[in-house]
Amino acid sequence: MTLKLESLEKTFGSHTAVGGINAEVAPGSMFGMLGANGAGKTTTFRMILGLLDPTSGTAEWNGRRIGYDRTHLIGYLPEERGLFPKLTVKDQLVYLMRLNGMKRQDTIKEMRSWLERFQVEEYENKKVEELSKGNQQKIQFMAAVLHRPELLILDEPFSGLDPVNADMLKEAVLSIQKNGTTIVFSSHQMRNVEELCEEILMLKEGRVVLEGHLNDIKRSYSMKNIRIRAD
Ligand code: ATP
Protein backbone atom coordinates (compact mmCIF):
# COMPACT_ATOMS: atom_id res chain seq x y z
CA MET A 1 0.00 0.00 0.00
CA THR A 2 2.62 2.52 -1.05
CA LEU A 3 2.21 5.66 -3.08
CA LYS A 4 5.12 5.90 -5.47
CA LEU A 5 5.94 8.76 -7.82
CA GLU A 6 8.66 8.08 -10.37
CA SER A 7 10.06 10.85 -12.57
CA LEU A 8 6.57 12.31 -12.64
CA GLU A 9 6.37 15.16 -15.09
CA LYS A 10 3.68 17.38 -16.59
CA THR A 11 4.18 20.05 -19.17
CA PHE A 12 1.56 22.40 -20.59
CA GLY A 13 2.91 23.60 -23.93
CA SER A 14 6.40 24.88 -23.18
CA HIS A 15 5.63 25.34 -19.46
CA THR A 16 6.79 22.65 -17.05
CA ALA A 17 4.25 22.50 -14.20
CA VAL A 18 5.82 19.41 -12.58
CA GLY A 19 9.38 18.65 -13.49
CA GLY A 20 10.14 15.03 -12.66
CA ILE A 21 9.19 14.21 -9.08
CA ASN A 22 10.35 11.10 -7.26
CA ALA A 23 8.73 10.25 -3.95
CA GLU A 24 7.62 7.29 -1.90
CA VAL A 25 4.93 7.65 0.73
CA ALA A 26 5.01 4.91 3.34
CA PRO A 27 1.78 3.08 4.17
CA GLY A 28 -0.19 4.75 6.95
CA SER A 29 1.98 7.83 6.99
CA MET A 30 1.14 11.51 6.71
CA PHE A 31 3.08 13.19 3.94
CA GLY A 32 3.23 16.95 3.46
CA MET A 33 3.69 18.69 0.15
CA LEU A 34 4.78 22.27 0.58
CA GLY A 35 5.02 25.01 -1.98
CA ALA A 36 3.91 28.47 -2.96
CA ASN A 37 1.18 29.24 -5.51
CA GLY A 38 1.91 27.61 -8.83
CA ALA A 39 4.57 25.26 -7.42
CA GLY A 40 2.85 22.22 -8.93
CA LYS A 41 1.04 20.64 -5.99
CA THR A 42 -2.44 20.45 -7.52
CA THR A 43 -1.07 19.19 -10.83
CA THR A 44 0.80 16.45 -8.95
CA PHE A 45 -2.37 15.45 -7.09
CA ARG A 46 -4.37 15.32 -10.31
CA MET A 47 -1.82 12.95 -11.82
CA ILE A 48 -1.91 10.75 -8.71
CA LEU A 49 -5.71 10.64 -8.92
CA GLY A 50 -5.67 9.72 -12.61
CA LEU A 51 -7.49 12.95 -13.53
CA LEU A 52 -4.55 14.13 -15.60
CA ASP A 53 -2.15 12.04 -17.67
CA PRO A 54 1.52 12.63 -16.92
CA THR A 55 3.68 13.81 -19.81
CA SER A 56 6.15 11.21 -18.56
CA GLY A 57 6.80 9.15 -15.47
CA THR A 58 4.35 7.31 -13.24
CA ALA A 59 2.22 7.75 -10.14
CA GLU A 60 1.15 4.45 -8.62
CA TRP A 61 -0.83 3.34 -5.61
CA ASN A 62 0.00 -0.17 -4.54
CA GLY A 63 1.87 -0.84 -7.77
CA ARG A 64 -0.83 0.37 -10.16
CA ARG A 65 -2.02 3.62 -11.67
CA ILE A 66 -5.21 4.91 -10.09
CA GLY A 67 -7.83 4.55 -12.79
CA TYR A 68 -11.60 4.82 -12.65
CA ASP A 69 -11.91 1.26 -11.39
CA ARG A 70 -10.10 2.26 -8.19
CA THR A 71 -11.51 5.71 -7.54
CA HIS A 72 -13.39 4.44 -4.47
CA LEU A 73 -10.07 3.61 -2.79
CA ILE A 74 -9.11 7.26 -2.79
CA GLY A 75 -10.53 10.26 -0.96
CA TYR A 76 -9.93 13.69 -2.45
CA LEU A 77 -10.49 17.14 -1.07
CA PRO A 78 -9.95 19.44 -4.05
CA GLU A 79 -8.58 22.92 -3.63
CA GLU A 80 -11.50 24.38 -5.52
CA ARG A 81 -14.34 23.33 -3.28
CA GLY A 82 -17.31 22.10 -5.25
CA LEU A 83 -20.56 21.04 -3.63
CA PHE A 84 -24.08 21.26 -5.03
CA PRO A 85 -25.45 24.41 -3.35
CA LYS A 86 -29.13 23.46 -3.61
CA LEU A 87 -28.80 19.96 -2.15
CA THR A 88 -29.12 19.29 1.55
CA VAL A 89 -26.02 18.05 3.31
CA LYS A 90 -27.54 14.59 3.58
CA ASP A 91 -28.61 14.35 -0.08
CA GLN A 92 -25.24 15.72 -1.18
CA LEU A 93 -23.30 13.08 0.76
CA VAL A 94 -25.64 10.21 -0.11
CA TYR A 95 -25.25 11.12 -3.79
CA LEU A 96 -21.46 11.44 -3.69
CA MET A 97 -20.97 8.27 -1.66
CA ARG A 98 -23.17 6.34 -4.07
CA LEU A 99 -20.46 7.03 -6.64
CA ASN A 100 -18.14 5.17 -4.26
CA GLY A 101 -20.53 2.24 -4.00
CA MET A 102 -21.71 3.13 -0.49
CA LYS A 103 -25.27 2.33 0.60
CA ARG A 104 -27.58 5.15 1.69
CA GLN A 105 -27.98 3.87 5.27
CA ASP A 106 -24.23 3.42 5.73
CA THR A 107 -23.59 6.93 4.44
CA ILE A 108 -26.19 8.42 6.77
CA LYS A 109 -24.75 6.57 9.76
CA GLU A 110 -21.20 7.74 9.01
CA MET A 111 -22.41 11.25 8.19
CA ARG A 112 -24.18 11.58 11.55
CA SER A 113 -21.11 10.54 13.47
CA TRP A 114 -19.00 13.13 11.60
CA LEU A 115 -21.60 15.88 11.99
CA GLU A 116 -21.61 15.21 15.71
CA ARG A 117 -17.87 15.27 15.85
CA PHE A 118 -17.76 18.58 13.98
CA GLN A 119 -20.53 19.88 16.28
CA VAL A 120 -22.87 20.67 13.38
CA GLU A 121 -25.57 18.00 13.81
CA GLU A 122 -28.28 20.51 12.91
CA TYR A 123 -26.94 20.83 9.35
CA GLU A 124 -28.09 17.43 8.14
CA ASN A 125 -31.16 18.82 6.36
CA LYS A 126 -29.82 22.27 5.51
CA LYS A 127 -28.96 23.20 1.97
CA VAL A 128 -25.24 23.51 1.35
CA GLU A 129 -25.65 27.16 0.27
CA GLU A 130 -27.01 28.01 3.73
CA LEU A 131 -23.75 27.03 5.42
CA SER A 132 -20.74 29.26 6.03
CA LYS A 133 -17.65 28.65 3.90
CA GLY A 134 -15.91 27.00 6.87
CA ASN A 135 -18.82 24.62 7.43
CA GLN A 136 -19.04 23.84 3.71
CA GLN A 137 -15.38 22.87 3.96
CA LYS A 138 -16.21 20.39 6.72
CA ILE A 139 -18.90 18.84 4.51
CA GLN A 140 -16.45 18.67 1.60
CA PHE A 141 -13.97 16.96 3.90
CA MET A 142 -16.63 14.45 4.91
CA ALA A 143 -17.23 13.75 1.21
CA ALA A 144 -13.55 12.78 0.99
CA VAL A 145 -13.54 10.43 3.99
CA LEU A 146 -16.99 8.88 4.60
CA HIS A 147 -16.21 5.85 2.44
CA ARG A 148 -12.99 5.21 4.43
CA PRO A 149 -10.49 5.44 1.58
CA GLU A 150 -7.09 3.76 1.68
CA LEU A 151 -5.41 6.92 0.42
CA LEU A 152 -6.55 10.43 1.28
CA ILE A 153 -5.40 13.42 -0.78
CA LEU A 154 -6.10 16.81 0.74
CA ASP A 155 -5.35 19.92 -1.32
CA GLU A 156 -4.88 22.90 1.01
CA PRO A 157 -7.32 21.46 3.58
CA PHE A 158 -6.80 24.20 6.16
CA SER A 159 -6.92 27.24 3.93
CA GLY A 160 -9.74 29.65 4.71
CA LEU A 161 -10.52 28.09 8.09
CA ASP A 162 -10.43 29.97 11.37
CA PRO A 163 -8.05 28.54 14.01
CA VAL A 164 -10.78 26.63 15.87
CA ASN A 165 -12.05 24.92 12.74
CA ALA A 166 -8.51 24.32 11.47
CA ASP A 167 -7.68 22.55 14.75
CA MET A 168 -10.86 20.49 14.53
CA LEU A 169 -9.91 19.39 11.03
CA LYS A 170 -6.33 18.61 12.06
CA GLU A 171 -7.61 16.34 14.83
CA ALA A 172 -9.89 14.64 12.33
CA VAL A 173 -7.01 14.09 9.92
CA LEU A 174 -4.85 12.61 12.68
CA SER A 175 -7.60 10.23 13.78
CA ILE A 176 -8.05 9.02 10.19
CA GLN A 177 -4.32 8.38 9.95
CA LYS A 178 -4.47 6.38 13.22
CA ASN A 179 -7.00 4.10 11.54
CA GLY A 180 -4.39 3.21 8.93
CA THR A 181 -5.17 5.59 6.06
CA THR A 182 -2.24 7.02 4.12
CA ILE A 183 -2.58 10.78 3.84
CA VAL A 184 -0.95 13.31 1.53
CA PHE A 185 -1.76 16.96 1.93
CA SER A 186 -0.54 20.22 0.48
CA SER A 187 0.00 23.51 2.20
CA HIS A 188 1.62 26.88 1.73
CA GLN A 189 2.45 26.94 5.40
CA MET A 190 5.29 25.14 7.08
CA ARG A 191 3.38 25.35 10.38
CA ASN A 192 0.61 22.97 9.25
CA VAL A 193 3.04 20.52 7.78
CA GLU A 194 5.30 20.65 10.81
CA GLU A 195 2.42 19.88 13.16
CA LEU A 196 1.19 16.84 11.28
CA CYS A 197 3.87 15.27 9.09
CA GLU A 198 7.08 13.43 9.47
CA GLU A 199 8.00 13.29 5.80
CA ILE A 200 7.81 16.32 3.57
CA LEU A 201 8.55 17.38 0.05
CA MET A 202 8.88 21.00 -0.99
CA LEU A 203 8.19 22.10 -4.54
CA LYS A 204 9.27 25.25 -6.25
CA GLU A 205 8.29 25.87 -9.87
CA GLY A 206 7.62 22.18 -10.32
CA ARG A 207 10.97 21.03 -8.92
CA VAL A 208 11.70 19.36 -5.61
CA VAL A 209 13.85 21.72 -3.55
CA LEU A 210 13.69 19.86 -0.27
CA GLU A 211 12.56 16.41 0.80
CA GLY A 212 12.95 13.98 3.62
CA HIS A 213 12.25 13.46 7.27
CA LEU A 214 11.23 16.68 9.00
CA ASN A 215 13.68 16.15 11.86
CA ASP A 216 16.59 15.69 9.44
CA ILE A 217 15.55 18.78 7.54
CA LYS A 218 15.29 20.79 10.73
CA ARG A 219 18.79 19.70 11.62
CA SER A 220 20.13 20.86 8.26
CA TYR A 221 18.23 24.13 7.94
CA SER A 222 16.76 26.63 10.35
CA MET A 223 12.96 26.76 10.10
CA LYS A 224 13.34 30.39 9.03
CA ASN A 225 15.25 29.26 5.98
CA ILE A 226 12.60 26.72 5.08
CA ARG A 227 9.89 29.38 5.28
CA ILE A 228 11.80 31.63 2.94
CA ARG A 229 12.18 28.84 0.43
CA ALA A 230 8.47 28.02 0.62
CA ASP A 231 7.42 31.61 -0.12
P1 ATP B 1 -1.86 26.70 -6.07
O1 ATP B 1 -1.70 26.53 -4.62
O2 ATP B 1 -1.88 28.14 -6.52
O3 ATP B 1 -2.99 25.90 -6.67
P2 ATP B 1 -0.11 24.65 -7.05
O4 ATP B 1 1.17 24.38 -6.37
O5 ATP B 1 -1.23 23.73 -6.77
O6 ATP B 1 -0.53 26.15 -6.74
P3 ATP B 1 -0.58 24.04 -9.81
O7 ATP B 1 -2.03 24.42 -9.77
O8 ATP B 1 -0.25 22.61 -9.86
O9 ATP B 1 0.19 24.71 -8.60
O10 ATP B 1 0.07 24.79 -11.06
C1 ATP B 1 1.44 24.60 -11.44
C2 ATP B 1 1.71 25.39 -12.70
O11 ATP B 1 1.06 24.77 -13.83
C3 ATP B 1 1.23 26.82 -12.66
O12 ATP B 1 2.17 27.64 -13.33
C4 ATP B 1 -0.08 26.76 -13.42
O13 ATP B 1 -0.38 28.00 -14.02
C5 ATP B 1 0.21 25.69 -14.47
N1 ATP B 1 -0.99 24.96 -14.88
C6 ATP B 1 -1.75 24.17 -14.10
N2 ATP B 1 -2.77 23.61 -14.81
C7 ATP B 1 -2.63 24.08 -16.09
C8 ATP B 1 -3.35 23.89 -17.30
N3 ATP B 1 -4.42 23.09 -17.34
N4 ATP B 1 -2.91 24.54 -18.39
C9 ATP B 1 -1.83 25.33 -18.37
N5 ATP B 1 -1.09 25.55 -17.26
C10 ATP B 1 -1.49 24.95 -16.13
Side-chain angles (χ1 to χ4, degrees):
M1 294 283 197
T2 305
L3 177 66
K4 203 166 179 186
L5 313 182
E6 279 187 318
S7 307
L8 189 65
E9 181 178 295
K10 184 71 191 177
T11 55
F12 295 104
S14 59
H15 178 67
T16 301
V18 176
I21 295 183
N22 292 295
E24 195 161 323
V25 178
S29 67
M30 178 104 69
F31 189 90
M33 204 174 283
L34 265 169
N37 284 331
K41 306 179 297 293
T42 300
T43 305
T44 302
F45 286 167
R46 288 189 181 143
M47 289 191 281
I48 293 171
L49 289 154
L51 297 173
L52 197 60
D53 287 332
T55 306
S56 60
T58 53
E60 291 183 340
W61 171 244
N62 209 10
R64 280 173 56 209
R65 182 179 185 274
I66 296 165
Y68 290 107
D69 57 326
R70 303 208 302 157
T71 301
H72 61 288
L73 303 179
I74 316 300
Y76 178 42
L77 177 75
E79 188 181 17
E80 17 348 267
R81 319 297 182 208
L83 296 168
F84 295 106
K86 302 286 180 197
L87 288 187
T88 63
V89 166
K90 180 164 72 186
D91 289 347
Q92 169 80 78
L93 292 170
V94 166
Y95 170 70
L96 289 175
M97 290 307 108
R98 198 189 288 164
L99 303 177
N100 288 320
M102 204 165 158
K103 290 197 182 105
R104 178 184 174 83
Q105 281 319 313
D106 294 339
T107 296
I108 291 174
K109 193 164 158 244
E110 283 287 309
M111 174 196 72
R112 288 190 176 142
S113 103
W114 275 102
L115 288 175
E116 191 183 333
R117 181 172 187 167
F118 283 150
Q119 299 166 13
V120 288
E121 294 99 313
E122 69 278 18
Y123 290 164
E124 178 174 329
N125 292 307
K126 281 206 178 192
K127 286 185 189 160
V128 166
E129 67 183 1
E130 293 174 65
L131 309 186
S132 69
K133 287 274 176 268
N135 284 323
Q136 286 187 23
Q137 199 152 325
K138 289 179 193 162
I139 305 304
Q140 184 103 52
F141 177 79
M142 287 165 58
V145 302
L146 281 195
H147 59 299
R148 304 192 181 201
E150 294 174 0
L151 173 65
L152 180 58
I153 308 267
L154 305 170
D155 202 349
E156 301 280 351
F158 311 113
S159 72
L161 290 180
D162 63 47
V164 173
N165 279 316
D167 282 348
M168 205 180 263
L169 205 61
K170 281 175 194 169
E171 270 174 37
V173 169
L174 281 169
S175 75
I176 288 169
Q177 185 203 8
K178 279 204 189 91
N179 288 337
T181 303
T182 304
I183 301 174
V184 182
F185 77 90
S186 69
S187 180
H188 292 103
Q189 291 182 311
M190 189 63 192
R191 183 166 36 85
N192 289 329
V193 175
E194 199 182 356
E195 271 173 31
L196 297 172
C197 302
E198 291 189 338
E199 296 283 333
I200 69 162
L201 180 149
M202 190 186 290
L203 287 175
K204 189 174 179 186
E205 293 164 7
R207 312 263 168 204
V208 177
V209 290
L210 207 57
E211 64 179 310
H213 201 280
L214 192 59
N215 287 339
D216 297 338
I217 289 169
K218 276 184 181 172
R219 239 176 271 134
S220 311
Y221 296 86
S222 75
M223 295 317 285
K224 191 163 168 275
N225 254 340
I226 291 175
R227 269 196 205 99
I228 289 165
R229 295 186 73 165
D231 287 339

